[in-house]
Amino acid sequence: MLKIENFIDGEFKSSINEEFLDNYNPATGEKVGEISSSGPRDVEKAVKAAEDAFFGWSSLSMDERINWLEKIGDALEAKKEEIAKVESLDTGKPISLARRVDANRSITNFRFFAQFAKNQEAQIFEMNDATNYVHRKPVGVVGLITPWNLPLYLLTWKIAPALVMGNTIVAKPSELTPLTANLFAKTLQEIDFPKGVFNIVHGLGPSAGQAILEHPNVKAISFTGGTQTGRIVAKIAAPLFKKLSLELGGKNATVILNDADILQAAKGAAKAGFTNSGQVCLCGSRILIDESIADDFTKHLIEEIEAMKVGNPQEEDTDIGSVISPQHLEKVESYIQLALEEGGEILTGGNRPKLDKVNSNGAFLMPTLISGLDIKSRTATEEIFGPVVTLHTFKGDEEAIKMANSTDYGLAGSVWTSDLQRGKEFSKQIDTGIMWVNTWLHRDLRTPFGGVKNSGVGREGGQWSLSFFSEMTNICVKND
Ligand code: TXE
Protein backbone atom coordinates (compact mmCIF):
# COMPACT_ATOMS: atom_id res chain seq x y z
CA MET A 1 0.00 0.00 0.00
CA LEU A 2 1.53 3.30 -1.14
CA LYS A 3 1.96 5.97 1.52
CA ILE A 4 2.32 9.35 -0.18
CA GLU A 5 3.76 12.00 2.12
CA ASN A 6 4.47 15.69 1.72
CA PHE A 7 7.78 16.67 0.15
CA ILE A 8 9.21 19.56 2.17
CA ASP A 9 12.82 20.81 2.21
CA GLY A 10 13.94 17.85 0.12
CA GLU A 11 12.49 15.22 2.49
CA PHE A 12 9.29 13.16 2.53
CA LYS A 13 7.38 13.59 5.76
CA SER A 14 3.77 13.04 6.81
CA SER A 15 1.49 15.93 7.68
CA ILE A 16 1.75 17.23 11.25
CA ASN A 17 -1.70 15.86 12.06
CA GLU A 18 -0.58 12.41 10.79
CA GLU A 19 -3.90 12.18 8.91
CA PHE A 20 -4.26 10.45 5.54
CA LEU A 21 -6.75 10.30 2.67
CA ASP A 22 -7.39 7.11 0.72
CA ASN A 23 -6.19 7.00 -2.88
CA TYR A 24 -7.97 4.76 -5.40
CA ASN A 25 -7.39 3.27 -8.84
CA PRO A 26 -10.58 4.44 -10.62
CA ALA A 27 -10.38 1.66 -13.21
CA THR A 28 -10.65 -1.11 -10.58
CA GLY A 29 -12.17 0.71 -7.62
CA GLU A 30 -9.33 -0.64 -5.46
CA LYS A 31 -7.59 1.41 -2.79
CA VAL A 32 -3.95 1.77 -3.88
CA GLY A 33 -2.62 3.92 -1.08
CA GLU A 34 -2.97 6.85 1.25
CA ILE A 35 -1.85 10.47 0.93
CA SER A 36 -1.09 13.02 3.62
CA SER A 37 -4.07 15.19 4.45
CA SER A 38 -2.31 18.47 5.22
CA GLY A 39 -3.43 21.77 6.65
CA PRO A 40 -2.14 25.30 7.31
CA ARG A 41 0.73 24.18 9.60
CA ASP A 42 2.13 21.96 6.85
CA VAL A 43 1.81 24.78 4.33
CA GLU A 44 3.65 27.05 6.79
CA LYS A 45 6.55 24.55 6.90
CA ALA A 46 6.60 24.27 3.10
CA VAL A 47 6.55 28.05 2.58
CA LYS A 48 9.38 28.44 5.14
CA ALA A 49 11.45 25.83 3.23
CA ALA A 50 10.76 27.64 -0.03
CA GLU A 51 11.74 31.00 1.50
CA ASP A 52 14.97 29.56 2.94
CA ALA A 53 15.87 28.13 -0.47
CA PHE A 54 14.92 31.26 -2.39
CA PHE A 55 18.17 33.19 -2.10
CA GLY A 56 20.33 30.27 -3.24
CA TRP A 57 18.06 29.41 -6.17
CA SER A 58 17.34 32.93 -7.39
CA SER A 59 21.03 33.89 -7.23
CA LEU A 60 21.96 31.13 -9.68
CA SER A 61 22.55 32.46 -13.18
CA MET A 62 19.85 31.86 -15.78
CA ASP A 63 22.22 29.41 -17.46
CA GLU A 64 22.64 27.42 -14.22
CA ARG A 65 18.86 27.21 -13.80
CA ILE A 66 18.49 26.22 -17.46
CA ASN A 67 21.01 23.42 -16.82
CA TRP A 68 18.84 22.16 -13.97
CA LEU A 69 15.74 22.16 -16.21
CA GLU A 70 17.63 20.09 -18.77
CA LYS A 71 18.78 17.67 -16.06
CA ILE A 72 15.19 17.28 -14.83
CA GLY A 73 14.00 16.67 -18.41
CA ASP A 74 16.64 13.97 -18.87
CA ALA A 75 15.79 12.34 -15.54
CA LEU A 76 12.08 12.25 -16.43
CA GLU A 77 12.88 10.87 -19.88
CA ALA A 78 14.68 7.96 -18.21
CA LYS A 79 11.47 7.28 -16.25
CA LYS A 80 9.00 7.86 -19.10
CA GLU A 81 7.46 4.38 -18.95
CA GLU A 82 7.15 4.51 -15.16
CA ILE A 83 5.46 7.93 -15.37
CA ALA A 84 2.99 6.57 -17.93
CA LYS A 85 2.16 3.50 -15.83
CA VAL A 86 1.71 5.47 -12.60
CA GLU A 87 -0.39 8.18 -14.31
CA SER A 88 -2.60 5.54 -15.93
CA LEU A 89 -3.05 3.78 -12.57
CA ASP A 90 -3.93 7.03 -10.80
CA THR A 91 -6.34 8.45 -13.38
CA GLY A 92 -7.78 5.42 -15.19
CA LYS A 93 -6.62 6.83 -18.54
CA PRO A 94 -5.30 4.40 -21.19
CA ILE A 95 -1.58 3.63 -20.85
CA SER A 96 -1.05 4.62 -24.50
CA LEU A 97 -2.50 8.08 -23.78
CA ALA A 98 -0.54 8.46 -20.55
CA ARG A 99 2.66 7.67 -22.46
CA ARG A 100 1.93 9.72 -25.62
CA VAL A 101 0.45 12.78 -23.88
CA ASP A 102 1.14 12.94 -20.14
CA ALA A 103 4.66 11.48 -19.92
CA ASN A 104 5.96 13.00 -23.15
CA ARG A 105 4.61 16.47 -22.39
CA SER A 106 5.99 16.43 -18.81
CA ILE A 107 9.46 15.90 -20.28
CA THR A 108 8.89 18.43 -23.06
CA ASN A 109 7.78 21.10 -20.60
CA PHE A 110 11.27 21.20 -19.08
CA ARG A 111 13.13 20.99 -22.37
CA PHE A 112 10.93 23.63 -23.98
CA PHE A 113 11.31 26.23 -21.23
CA ALA A 114 15.06 25.57 -20.99
CA GLN A 115 15.41 26.29 -24.70
CA PHE A 116 12.92 29.16 -24.66
CA ALA A 117 14.66 30.89 -21.73
CA LYS A 118 18.01 30.49 -23.52
CA ASN A 119 16.68 32.42 -26.50
CA GLN A 120 15.23 35.32 -24.49
CA GLU A 121 16.47 38.68 -25.69
CA ALA A 122 17.02 41.62 -23.34
CA GLN A 123 14.17 44.14 -23.61
CA ILE A 124 15.77 47.53 -24.28
CA PHE A 125 13.93 50.72 -25.33
CA GLU A 126 16.10 53.54 -26.66
CA MET A 127 15.15 57.20 -26.35
CA ASN A 128 17.10 60.03 -27.96
CA ASP A 129 18.67 60.90 -24.59
CA ALA A 130 18.20 57.76 -22.47
CA THR A 131 18.08 53.95 -22.58
CA ASN A 132 15.46 51.83 -20.82
CA TYR A 133 16.38 48.32 -19.64
CA VAL A 134 13.55 45.99 -18.56
CA HIS A 135 15.03 43.91 -15.74
CA ARG A 136 13.17 40.72 -14.77
CA LYS A 137 13.30 39.37 -11.21
CA PRO A 138 11.59 36.28 -9.72
CA VAL A 139 8.26 36.78 -7.94
CA GLY A 140 9.44 34.80 -4.89
CA VAL A 141 7.57 31.80 -3.39
CA VAL A 142 4.80 30.76 -5.80
CA GLY A 143 1.80 28.46 -5.21
CA LEU A 144 0.82 25.90 -7.88
CA ILE A 145 -2.60 24.22 -7.52
CA THR A 146 -3.44 21.64 -10.15
CA PRO A 147 -6.26 19.27 -11.20
CA TRP A 148 -6.71 15.54 -11.73
CA ASN A 149 -7.16 15.25 -15.47
CA LEU A 150 -3.56 15.75 -16.67
CA PRO A 151 -1.75 15.65 -13.32
CA LEU A 152 1.99 15.74 -14.13
CA TYR A 153 1.51 17.40 -17.55
CA LEU A 154 -0.23 20.45 -16.01
CA LEU A 155 1.97 20.58 -12.88
CA THR A 156 5.24 20.56 -14.86
CA TRP A 157 3.74 23.15 -17.29
CA LYS A 158 3.89 25.50 -14.30
CA ILE A 159 7.00 24.18 -12.49
CA ALA A 160 9.39 24.64 -15.44
CA PRO A 161 8.81 28.37 -16.09
CA ALA A 162 8.52 29.12 -12.34
CA LEU A 163 11.93 27.52 -11.70
CA VAL A 164 13.72 29.00 -14.69
CA MET A 165 12.68 32.52 -13.63
CA GLY A 166 14.20 31.91 -10.19
CA ASN A 167 11.12 31.26 -8.03
CA THR A 168 10.70 28.59 -5.37
CA ILE A 169 7.53 26.53 -5.22
CA VAL A 170 4.81 25.15 -2.96
CA ALA A 171 2.63 22.81 -5.05
CA LYS A 172 -0.64 21.06 -4.25
CA PRO A 173 -1.69 18.41 -6.76
CA SER A 174 -5.27 17.17 -6.79
CA GLU A 175 -5.98 14.83 -3.89
CA LEU A 176 -7.35 12.40 -6.49
CA THR A 177 -4.07 12.10 -8.38
CA PRO A 178 -0.99 12.56 -6.20
CA LEU A 179 1.19 9.74 -7.55
CA THR A 180 3.15 11.34 -10.39
CA ALA A 181 3.84 14.48 -8.35
CA ASN A 182 5.33 12.11 -5.78
CA LEU A 183 7.37 10.39 -8.47
CA PHE A 184 8.57 13.81 -9.66
CA ALA A 185 9.74 14.71 -6.13
CA LYS A 186 11.61 11.41 -5.86
CA THR A 187 13.32 12.21 -9.17
CA LEU A 188 14.46 15.59 -7.82
CA GLN A 189 15.95 13.82 -4.79
CA GLU A 190 17.81 11.37 -7.05
CA ILE A 191 19.47 14.17 -9.02
CA ASP A 192 20.36 16.14 -5.85
CA PHE A 193 18.13 19.04 -6.83
CA PRO A 194 18.57 21.84 -4.24
CA LYS A 195 16.38 21.17 -1.18
CA GLY A 196 13.41 23.44 -0.49
CA VAL A 197 13.23 24.87 -4.03
CA PHE A 198 10.28 22.60 -4.88
CA ASN A 199 7.84 21.46 -2.19
CA ILE A 200 4.61 19.46 -2.28
CA VAL A 201 1.80 19.67 0.28
CA HIS A 202 -0.83 16.99 -0.34
CA GLY A 203 -4.42 17.27 0.79
CA LEU A 204 -7.88 18.64 0.22
CA GLY A 205 -8.53 21.92 -1.53
CA PRO A 206 -10.36 23.75 1.28
CA SER A 207 -7.63 22.88 3.83
CA ALA A 208 -4.22 22.48 2.13
CA GLY A 209 -5.09 24.40 -1.04
CA GLN A 210 -6.77 27.27 0.75
CA ALA A 211 -3.81 27.64 3.14
CA ILE A 212 -1.52 28.20 0.15
CA LEU A 213 -3.88 30.86 -1.20
CA GLU A 214 -4.02 32.62 2.15
CA HIS A 215 -0.32 32.48 3.06
CA PRO A 216 1.02 36.07 3.00
CA ASN A 217 4.44 34.99 1.70
CA VAL A 218 3.08 33.14 -1.34
CA LYS A 219 3.28 35.91 -3.93
CA ALA A 220 1.65 34.29 -6.97
CA ILE A 221 -0.94 31.58 -7.55
CA SER A 222 -1.12 29.55 -10.74
CA PHE A 223 -4.36 27.54 -10.66
CA THR A 224 -5.85 25.04 -13.10
CA GLY A 225 -9.18 23.46 -12.28
CA GLY A 226 -12.91 24.06 -12.20
CA THR A 227 -14.55 27.43 -12.70
CA GLN A 228 -16.36 27.14 -9.37
CA THR A 229 -13.07 26.63 -7.51
CA GLY A 230 -11.48 29.33 -9.64
CA ARG A 231 -13.95 31.79 -8.12
CA ILE A 232 -12.88 30.78 -4.61
CA VAL A 233 -9.20 31.11 -5.55
CA ALA A 234 -9.79 34.58 -7.00
CA LYS A 235 -11.82 35.73 -3.99
CA ILE A 236 -9.00 34.84 -1.60
CA ALA A 237 -5.98 35.84 -3.68
CA ALA A 238 -7.18 39.07 -5.27
CA PRO A 239 -7.48 41.25 -2.11
CA LEU A 240 -3.97 40.05 -1.15
CA PHE A 241 -2.76 41.39 -4.52
CA LYS A 242 -1.16 38.08 -5.45
CA LYS A 243 -0.39 37.51 -9.10
CA LEU A 244 -3.08 35.16 -10.36
CA SER A 245 -3.33 32.79 -13.33
CA LEU A 246 -6.65 30.93 -13.68
CA GLU A 247 -7.03 28.12 -16.25
CA LEU A 248 -10.59 26.94 -15.76
CA GLY A 249 -13.32 24.91 -17.46
CA GLY A 250 -14.50 24.85 -21.04
CA LYS A 251 -17.49 23.88 -23.21
CA ASN A 252 -15.75 23.97 -26.55
CA ALA A 253 -17.36 23.76 -29.99
CA THR A 254 -16.15 21.57 -32.87
CA VAL A 255 -17.65 23.29 -35.93
CA ILE A 256 -17.98 21.37 -39.22
CA LEU A 257 -18.59 23.76 -42.14
CA ASN A 258 -20.39 22.67 -45.33
CA ASP A 259 -17.13 22.28 -47.33
CA ALA A 260 -15.33 20.11 -44.75
CA ASP A 261 -13.69 16.79 -45.59
CA ILE A 262 -16.36 14.72 -43.84
CA LEU A 263 -14.22 11.71 -42.96
CA GLN A 264 -11.34 13.85 -41.65
CA ALA A 265 -13.82 15.97 -39.65
CA ALA A 266 -15.55 12.92 -38.17
CA LYS A 267 -12.22 11.52 -36.99
CA GLY A 268 -11.17 14.93 -35.63
CA ALA A 269 -14.49 15.51 -33.86
CA ALA A 270 -14.40 12.07 -32.23
CA LYS A 271 -10.84 12.61 -31.02
CA ALA A 272 -11.61 16.11 -29.73
CA GLY A 273 -14.74 14.89 -27.98
CA PHE A 274 -13.52 11.73 -26.28
CA THR A 275 -9.76 11.94 -25.65
CA ASN A 276 -9.10 11.16 -21.96
CA SER A 277 -12.82 10.31 -21.70
CA GLY A 278 -13.64 13.96 -22.38
CA GLN A 279 -11.70 15.00 -19.27
CA VAL A 280 -9.58 17.68 -20.92
CA CYS A 281 -10.58 21.34 -20.64
CA LEU A 282 -9.89 21.64 -24.40
CA CYS A 283 -12.24 18.82 -25.40
CA GLY A 284 -14.81 19.54 -28.09
CA SER A 285 -17.91 18.65 -26.06
CA ARG A 286 -20.32 20.29 -28.56
CA ILE A 287 -20.29 19.38 -32.25
CA LEU A 288 -21.95 21.92 -34.58
CA ILE A 289 -22.63 20.52 -38.07
CA ASP A 290 -23.91 22.29 -41.20
CA GLU A 291 -27.36 20.85 -41.84
CA SER A 292 -26.53 20.21 -45.54
CA ILE A 293 -24.02 17.47 -44.59
CA ALA A 294 -25.42 16.46 -41.18
CA ASP A 295 -26.72 12.97 -42.07
CA ASP A 296 -23.56 11.83 -43.83
CA PHE A 297 -21.27 13.33 -41.15
CA THR A 298 -23.28 11.86 -38.25
CA LYS A 299 -23.08 8.39 -39.77
CA HIS A 300 -19.27 8.59 -39.98
CA LEU A 301 -19.01 10.17 -36.51
CA ILE A 302 -20.99 7.33 -34.91
CA GLU A 303 -18.76 4.80 -36.70
CA GLU A 304 -15.66 6.51 -35.28
CA ILE A 305 -17.10 6.57 -31.75
CA GLU A 306 -18.30 2.95 -31.84
CA ALA A 307 -14.89 1.82 -33.09
CA MET A 308 -13.25 3.07 -29.85
CA LYS A 309 -12.20 0.29 -27.49
CA VAL A 310 -13.49 0.91 -23.97
CA GLY A 311 -11.81 -1.12 -21.25
CA ASN A 312 -8.80 -1.87 -19.14
CA PRO A 313 -6.51 1.18 -19.34
CA GLN A 314 -3.48 -1.07 -18.81
CA GLU A 315 -4.06 -2.68 -22.24
CA GLU A 316 -2.18 -1.07 -25.13
CA ASP A 317 -5.13 -1.04 -27.53
CA THR A 318 -7.60 0.60 -25.14
CA ASP A 319 -8.89 3.97 -26.38
CA ILE A 320 -11.25 4.88 -23.52
CA GLY A 321 -10.42 4.11 -19.91
CA SER A 322 -12.37 4.97 -16.78
CA VAL A 323 -13.31 8.42 -15.61
CA ILE A 324 -11.58 9.75 -12.50
CA SER A 325 -13.94 8.46 -9.81
CA PRO A 326 -17.32 6.86 -9.12
CA GLN A 327 -18.54 10.26 -7.89
CA HIS A 328 -17.53 11.91 -11.17
CA LEU A 329 -19.18 9.03 -13.10
CA GLU A 330 -22.44 9.78 -11.29
CA LYS A 331 -22.09 13.50 -12.09
CA VAL A 332 -21.56 12.71 -15.79
CA GLU A 333 -24.47 10.23 -15.83
CA SER A 334 -26.72 12.83 -14.23
CA TYR A 335 -26.12 14.98 -17.31
CA ILE A 336 -27.22 12.13 -19.59
CA GLN A 337 -30.41 11.93 -17.53
CA LEU A 338 -30.79 15.71 -17.83
CA ALA A 339 -30.26 15.54 -21.59
CA LEU A 340 -33.16 13.10 -21.95
CA GLU A 341 -35.34 15.37 -19.82
CA GLU A 342 -34.36 18.30 -22.06
CA GLY A 343 -35.51 16.43 -25.16
CA GLY A 344 -32.21 14.90 -26.25
CA GLU A 345 -31.84 11.63 -28.14
CA ILE A 346 -28.92 9.27 -27.42
CA LEU A 347 -27.36 8.28 -30.78
CA THR A 348 -24.72 6.01 -29.23
CA GLY A 349 -23.47 5.14 -25.71
CA GLY A 350 -25.19 6.37 -22.55
CA ASN A 351 -24.55 3.14 -20.67
CA ARG A 352 -21.85 1.48 -18.58
CA PRO A 353 -19.86 -1.21 -20.44
CA LYS A 354 -19.77 -4.84 -19.32
CA LEU A 355 -16.09 -5.43 -18.49
CA ASP A 356 -13.95 -8.28 -17.18
CA LYS A 357 -13.80 -8.89 -13.45
CA VAL A 358 -10.67 -6.77 -12.90
CA ASN A 359 -12.55 -3.66 -14.09
CA SER A 360 -16.08 -4.60 -13.04
CA ASN A 361 -15.89 -2.08 -10.17
CA GLY A 362 -14.28 0.64 -12.27
CA ALA A 363 -15.86 4.00 -13.17
CA PHE A 364 -16.47 3.34 -16.88
CA LEU A 365 -18.95 4.94 -19.28
CA MET A 366 -19.44 4.30 -22.99
CA PRO A 367 -18.64 7.33 -25.18
CA THR A 368 -22.00 9.04 -25.60
CA LEU A 369 -23.37 11.21 -28.41
CA ILE A 370 -26.62 13.10 -27.89
CA SER A 371 -28.60 15.03 -30.53
CA GLY A 372 -31.83 17.00 -30.54
CA LEU A 373 -30.95 19.44 -27.75
CA ASP A 374 -31.47 23.18 -27.83
CA ILE A 375 -28.10 24.96 -27.99
CA LYS A 376 -29.13 26.87 -24.85
CA SER A 377 -30.13 23.74 -22.90
CA ARG A 378 -28.26 23.08 -19.65
CA THR A 379 -26.69 19.95 -21.13
CA ALA A 380 -25.28 22.02 -24.01
CA THR A 381 -24.06 24.93 -21.88
CA GLU A 382 -22.71 23.39 -18.66
CA GLU A 383 -19.31 21.66 -18.51
CA ILE A 384 -19.83 17.90 -18.09
CA PHE A 385 -16.14 16.91 -18.28
CA GLY A 386 -16.85 13.32 -19.29
CA PRO A 387 -17.33 11.17 -22.44
CA VAL A 388 -20.56 12.97 -23.39
CA VAL A 389 -20.84 15.13 -26.53
CA THR A 390 -23.88 16.96 -27.87
CA LEU A 391 -24.58 17.34 -31.63
CA HIS A 392 -26.34 20.39 -33.11
CA THR A 393 -27.10 21.45 -36.71
CA PHE A 394 -26.81 24.97 -38.08
CA LYS A 395 -27.64 26.73 -41.34
CA GLY A 396 -24.79 28.98 -42.55
CA ASP A 397 -21.73 30.44 -40.86
CA GLU A 398 -23.55 33.25 -39.04
CA GLU A 399 -25.71 30.80 -37.10
CA ALA A 400 -22.66 28.60 -36.43
CA ILE A 401 -20.78 31.54 -34.90
CA LYS A 402 -23.74 32.45 -32.72
CA MET A 403 -24.11 28.85 -31.50
CA ALA A 404 -20.38 28.41 -30.87
CA ASN A 405 -20.41 31.56 -28.71
CA SER A 406 -23.54 30.61 -26.81
CA THR A 407 -21.99 29.43 -23.53
CA ASP A 408 -20.43 31.26 -20.56
CA TYR A 409 -17.11 29.58 -21.35
CA GLY A 410 -14.49 30.70 -23.86
CA LEU A 411 -11.46 28.42 -23.82
CA ALA A 412 -11.00 26.69 -27.19
CA GLY A 413 -12.65 25.29 -30.30
CA SER A 414 -11.99 23.88 -33.76
CA VAL A 415 -13.40 24.51 -37.21
CA TRP A 416 -13.24 22.06 -40.14
CA THR A 417 -13.34 23.36 -43.71
CA SER A 418 -11.50 22.89 -47.02
CA ASP A 419 -10.97 26.67 -47.29
CA LEU A 420 -8.21 27.62 -44.80
CA GLN A 421 -8.81 31.36 -45.20
CA ARG A 422 -12.48 30.78 -44.40
CA GLY A 423 -11.43 28.78 -41.34
CA LYS A 424 -9.14 31.58 -40.15
CA GLU A 425 -11.80 34.25 -40.65
CA PHE A 426 -14.39 32.06 -38.92
CA SER A 427 -12.00 31.54 -35.96
CA LYS A 428 -11.64 35.28 -35.43
CA GLN A 429 -15.39 35.44 -34.68
CA ILE A 430 -15.24 32.84 -31.90
CA ASP A 431 -14.88 34.15 -28.30
CA THR A 432 -12.21 31.73 -27.11
CA GLY A 433 -8.48 31.85 -26.33
CA ILE A 434 -7.59 29.09 -28.77
CA MET A 435 -8.96 27.98 -32.16
CA TRP A 436 -7.75 25.09 -34.33
CA VAL A 437 -8.45 24.83 -38.09
CA ASN A 438 -8.68 21.21 -39.35
CA THR A 439 -6.92 19.86 -36.31
CA TRP A 440 -7.21 19.64 -32.51
CA LEU A 441 -4.77 19.78 -29.56
CA HIS A 442 -1.91 20.58 -31.95
CA ARG A 443 0.31 22.58 -29.63
CA ASP A 444 3.20 25.01 -30.09
CA LEU A 445 4.26 25.78 -26.51
CA ARG A 446 5.35 29.30 -27.52
CA THR A 447 1.72 30.27 -28.15
CA PRO A 448 -0.68 31.81 -25.59
CA PHE A 449 -2.80 29.16 -23.81
CA GLY A 450 -5.90 30.14 -21.86
CA GLY A 451 -9.41 31.45 -22.18
CA VAL A 452 -11.95 34.17 -21.57
CA LYS A 453 -15.26 34.44 -19.71
CA ASN A 454 -15.69 31.49 -17.28
CA SER A 455 -12.62 29.75 -18.74
CA GLY A 456 -10.30 31.92 -16.74
CA VAL A 457 -7.92 34.84 -16.62
CA GLY A 458 -4.44 35.09 -18.07
CA ARG A 459 -2.41 33.01 -20.48
CA GLU A 460 0.28 30.33 -20.08
CA GLY A 461 2.94 29.35 -22.61
CA GLY A 462 6.18 30.87 -23.88
CA GLN A 463 6.65 34.50 -22.93
CA TRP A 464 3.31 34.57 -21.07
CA SER A 465 4.59 31.99 -18.58
CA LEU A 466 7.95 33.74 -18.14
CA SER A 467 6.17 37.06 -17.58
CA PHE A 468 3.74 35.57 -15.08
CA PHE A 469 6.56 34.04 -13.05
CA SER A 470 8.62 37.26 -12.92
CA GLU A 471 8.35 40.90 -11.92
CA MET A 472 9.77 43.67 -14.10
CA THR A 473 11.76 46.73 -13.14
CA ASN A 474 12.24 49.29 -15.88
CA ILE A 475 15.63 50.98 -15.46
CA CYS A 476 15.87 54.25 -17.37
CA VAL A 477 19.48 55.47 -17.76
CA LYS A 478 19.95 59.07 -18.90
CA ASN A 479 22.68 59.25 -21.52
CA ASP A 480 25.33 61.82 -20.54
O1 TXE B 1 -11.02 20.71 -10.17
P1 TXE B 1 -11.11 21.42 -8.81
P2 TXE B 1 -11.06 19.17 -10.38
C1 TXE B 1 -12.88 21.37 -14.34
C2 TXE B 1 -13.93 20.41 -14.74
C3 TXE B 1 -13.94 19.43 -13.60
C4 TXE B 1 -13.81 20.40 -12.46
C5 TXE B 1 -13.37 19.66 -11.24
O2 TXE B 1 -15.16 21.10 -14.74
O3 TXE B 1 -15.19 18.77 -13.46
O4 TXE B 1 -12.83 21.33 -12.91
O5 TXE B 1 -12.08 19.12 -11.53
C6 TXE B 1 -7.93 22.33 -5.48
N1 TXE B 1 -8.91 26.26 -2.33
N2 TXE B 1 -11.57 21.09 -14.83
O6 TXE B 1 -11.66 18.42 -9.22
O7 TXE B 1 -12.10 20.85 -7.88
C7 TXE B 1 -8.13 20.83 -5.64
O8 TXE B 1 -7.70 20.14 -4.48
C8 TXE B 1 -7.77 25.90 -2.95
C9 TXE B 1 -11.07 21.90 -15.91
O9 TXE B 1 -9.66 18.82 -10.76
O10 TXE B 1 -11.25 22.83 -9.20
C10 TXE B 1 -7.27 20.56 -6.85
O11 TXE B 1 -5.91 20.43 -6.48
N3 TXE B 1 -7.66 24.83 -3.77
C11 TXE B 1 -9.59 22.01 -15.77
C12 TXE B 1 -7.47 21.82 -7.70
O12 TXE B 1 -7.96 22.82 -6.81
C13 TXE B 1 -8.78 24.11 -3.98
C14 TXE B 1 -8.94 20.66 -15.63
C15 TXE B 1 -8.49 21.63 -8.80
O13 TXE B 1 -9.66 21.13 -8.17
C16 TXE B 1 -10.02 24.41 -3.37
C17 TXE B 1 -9.56 19.93 -14.56
C18 TXE B 1 -10.05 25.55 -2.52
N4 TXE B 1 -11.16 25.92 -1.88
C19 TXE B 1 -10.82 20.17 -14.16
N5 TXE B 1 -10.94 23.49 -3.79
C20 TXE B 1 -8.89 22.68 -16.93
N6 TXE B 1 -9.28 23.88 -17.33
O14 TXE B 1 -7.91 22.12 -17.43
C21 TXE B 1 -10.29 22.64 -4.60
N7 TXE B 1 -8.99 22.99 -4.72
Side-chain angles (χ1 to χ4, degrees), residues 201-215:
V201 177
H202 288 290
L204 297 170
S207 40
Q210 194 135 330
I212 294 171
L213 301 176
E214 291 167 346
H215 199 294

Side-chain angles (χ1 to χ4, degrees), residues 145-150 154 172-176 203-211 213 223-230 232-233 236 247-250 279-282 328 331 383-385 409 411 455:
I145 301 180
T146 46
W148 48 252
N149 64 321
L150 298 161
L154 289 172
K172 196 207 77 68
S174 172
E175 57 281 16
L176 300 177
L204 297 170
S207 40
Q210 194 135 330
L213 301 176
F223 172 80
T224 295
T227 295
Q228 199 42 40
T229 311
I232 297 171
V233 173
I236 295 171
E247 295 296 340
L248 308 178
Q279 299 169 130
V280 180
C281 56
L282 299 166
H328 190 56
K331 171 185 166 186
E383 187 184 44
I384 299 171
F385 217 60
Y409 291 99
L411 187 56
S455 292

Side-chain angles (χ1 to χ4, degrees), residues 171-462:
K172 196 207 77 68
S174 172
E175 57 281 16
L176 300 177
T177 54
L179 299 188
T180 44
N182 185 63
L183 181 57
F184 177 74
K186 279 200 181 124
T187 307
L188 294 187
Q189 262 190 340
E190 289 160 7
I191 61 173
D192 294 326
F193 186 70
K195 292 175 186 264
V197 173
F198 174 76
N199 304 279
I200 301 176
V201 177
H202 288 290
L204 297 170
S207 40
Q210 194 135 330
I212 294 171
L213 301 176
E214 291 167 346
H215 199 294
N217 301 351
V218 173
K219 299 299 180 198
I221 298 289
S222 181
F223 172 80
T224 295
T227 295
Q228 199 42 40
T229 311
R231 285 197 178 92
I232 297 171
V233 173
K235 206 163 68 183
I236 295 171
L240 299 170
F241 300 111
K242 295 179 191 238
K243 287 189 89 170
L244 200 47
S245 166
L246 296 172
E247 295 296 340
L248 308 178
K251 188 74 176 183
N252 312 306
T254 300
V255 186
I256 320 294
L257 300 181
N258 60 5
D259 64 347
D261 170 330
I262 288 183
L263 209 48
Q264 178 204 34
K267 285 183 187 305
K271 184 180 166 211
F274 297 101
T275 295
N276 202 33
S277 294
Q279 299 169 130
V280 180
C281 56
L282 299 166
C283 274
S285 48
R286 295 179 297 148
I287 298 173
L288 313 183
I289 173 74
D290 187 289
E291 64 173 10
S292 65
I293 54 169
D295 293 348
D296 194 13
F297 170 81
T298 304
K299 183 168 66 66
H300 287 295
L301 176 64
I302 291 172
E303 278 165 15
E304 290 296 326
I305 295 169
E306 294 184 344
M308 292 175 177
K309 186 187 170 229
V310 181
N312 187 339
Q314 300 305 317
E315 285 168 13
E316 286 297 337
D317 63 346
T318 295
D319 301 305
I320 304 271
S322 74
V323 295
I324 189 67
S325 69
Q327 295 75 8
H328 190 56
L329 176 59
E330 278 167 28
K331 171 185 166 186
V332 175
E333 287 179 323
S334 72
Y335 274 101
I336 296 175
Q337 196 43 49
L338 174 66
L340 294 173
E341 288 157 15
E342 292 188 306
E345 181 198 348
I346 296 176
L347 300 184
T348 185
N351 59 302
R352 298 186 185 190
K354 294 250 172 311
L355 297 175
D356 296 347
K357 190 163 173 9
V358 68
N359 298 116
S360 54
N361 289 329
F364 290 85
L365 181 65
M366 293 303 283
T368 302
L369 181 66
I370 301 173
S371 67
L373 286 165
D374 187 298
I375 196 71
K376 293 301 282 180
S377 63
R378 280 187 54 207
T379 313
T381 50
E382 294 177 16
E383 187 184 44
I384 299 171
F385 217 60
V388 176
V389 171
T390 57
L391 181 67
H392 311 266
T393 59
F394 62 83
K395 195 172 176 183
D397 291 13
E398 285 316 305
E399 188 182 23
I401 290 164
K402 199 159 159 287
M403 290 168 74
N405 289 333
S406 66
T407 75
D408 293 335
Y409 291 99
L411 187 56
S414 63
V415 58
W416 301 76
T417 169
S418 53
D419 176 345
L420 300 187
Q421 192 50 35
R422 181 184 179 196
K424 220 171 121 192
E425 289 312 308
F426 184 93
S427 298
K428 290 177 186 171
Q429 311 294 320
I430 308 303
D431 304 332
T432 57
I434 303 151
M435 278 300 289
W436 282 286
V437 179
N438 295 338
T439 186
W440 177 73
L441 204 61
H442 194 38
R443 293 273 294 116
D444 179 330
L445 304 188
R446 295 168 299 176
T447 60
F449 177 94
V452 295
K453 304 195 284 187
N454 287 3
S455 292
V457 178
R459 293 294 188 275
E460 294 185 297

